[in-house]
């Protein structure tokens, strides 16, 4: 009878330890999932911000190209106008480097 009672007690203790270990593992997994969701939200916000910045930069580049085209008295972005813009850009970059 004592052996049988001891076996039942050991089984009960083992079950309790297993349940506690399972609960701790589940809690750890929940925490990891929460962290991953938080990181995903942050990354999504960063991506959206970077996309907006890129669109703004691309629009600024187009405005600057248009302004340069006006400066070189070109009505469109023909190859000749593009070459003139490239030449002016290179000259400006050289002037900036010289000043530095």
């Amino acid at each position: 009878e004592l052996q049988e009672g001891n076996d039942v007690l050991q089984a009960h203790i083992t079950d309790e330890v297993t349940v506690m270990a399972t609960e701790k593992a589940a809690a750890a997994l929940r925490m990891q999932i929460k962290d991953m969701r938080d990181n995903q939200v942050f990354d999504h916000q960063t991506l959206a911000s970077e996309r907006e910045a890129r669109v703004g930069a691309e629009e600024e580049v187009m405005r600057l190209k248009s302004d340069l085209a006006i400066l070189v008295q070109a009505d469109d972005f023909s190859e000749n106008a593009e070459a003139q813009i490239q030449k002016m850009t290179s000259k400006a970059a050289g002037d900036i480097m010289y000043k530095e």
Side-chain angles (χ1 to χ4, degrees), residues 73-87:
Q73 299 175 350
D75 292 332
D76 62 344
F77 293 116
S78 66
E79 284 186 31
N80 188 32
E82 194 69 35
Q84 288 176 321
I85 290 171
Q86 200 61 297
K87 182 178 175 182

Side-chain angles (χ1 to χ4, degrees), residues 2-18:
L2 284 173
Q3 183 64 32
E4 190 176 308
N6 189 30
D7 290 344
V8 170
L9 184 58
Q10 286 297 335
H12 180 69
I13 291 171
T14 301
D15 288 345
E16 288 295 318
V17 169
T18 301

Side-chain angles (χ1 to χ4, degrees), residues 26-65:
L29 288 172
R30 282 189 206 99
M31 186 61 79
Q32 285 180 341
I33 289 170
K34 181 188 176 301
D35 290 345
M36 291 172 70
R37 284 183 181 153
D38 291 345
N39 288 338
Q40 189 269 336
V41 167
F42 177 76
D43 291 345
H44 180 71
Q45 291 171 343
T46 302
L47 177 63
S49 175
E50 291 291 329
R51 282 183 178 159
E52 289 175 17
R54 180 179 176 181
V55 167
E58 288 173 350
E59 290 171 354
E60 181 68 14
V61 166
M62 290 306 296
R63 282 192 297 273
L64 290 171
K65 277 188 172 184

